[in-house]
Amino acid sequence: MSNKLTHEEQEALVISDDPEHPANLISELCREFYKLGWVTGTGGGISIRQGEHVYLAPSGVQKERIKPEHIFVLPFAQSSVPKPGSKRDFLRIPSKKGLSESQCTPLFWNAFSMRGAGACIHTHSQHAVMLTLLHPRDAQSFKISHQEMIKGVRIGGVGKTLSFFNTLEIPIIDNTAVEEDLTESMAAAMDKYPDAPAILVRRHGVYVWGNTWEQAKTQGECLDYLFEIAVKMLLAKLPLVEDN
């Protein structure tokens, strides 16, 4: 369902000279994430909540070529909680043919509604995927301690930063054939692990969030570093968690 805004009002939601405007930020960040190998093959993306508006990168588009006019805008206050198969309320739908709302939408909403996050990033990082493959099939979480980059990660993704001596734990959930079908298992993992700043999806990637886009980006980078070093440690048969 789309709110009845005029064409000019809809365009005003995404066209701005301010480089900090969410539509400009999403376009810029997706280009940077593409360079990192996080959003290749049109997969992955980012959503930013600003007040009562949620800005969403489109699905099925080359992420390094996204423009502000390609961004979907939704009211945070939806007629019903976004879930698999549900219809969403929109303030703006891009006019460009072939663009569709991201299947990540209800998963982003988990971060917004359950953690009060201001931004959520989804990547297909090979480090994240490889880490889930090196863990036993029945492993429910990944743990690591005594790594400097842990200090860039926040409790629950939105709280205080962890210390060098803290043990970081991130739940691992199983992938599904359709991405939005991860919504319930992600929410269950967030309930079970309230201090986790992210959710790893086995053979898929990771969802990470923060109070702001800066915090979400910072944590995404720190976590990707930790995933990479953890993969190397596991292959070298080194323990991920040290005794204090």
Side-chain angles (χ1 to χ4, degrees), residues 54 74-78 81-82 104-114:
V54 174
L74 297 77
F76 178 68
Q78 293 280 305
V81 177
C104 300
T105 300
L107 290 97
F108 290 145
W109 239 264
N110 280 343
F112 297 145
S113 60
M114 297 180 68

Side-chain angles (χ1 to χ4, degrees), residues 189-203:
M190 292 174 71
D191 273 334
K192 185 175 180 180
Y193 298 87
D195 290 342
I199 301 292
L200 280 161
V201 184
R202 189 174 279 107
R203 299 177 179 270

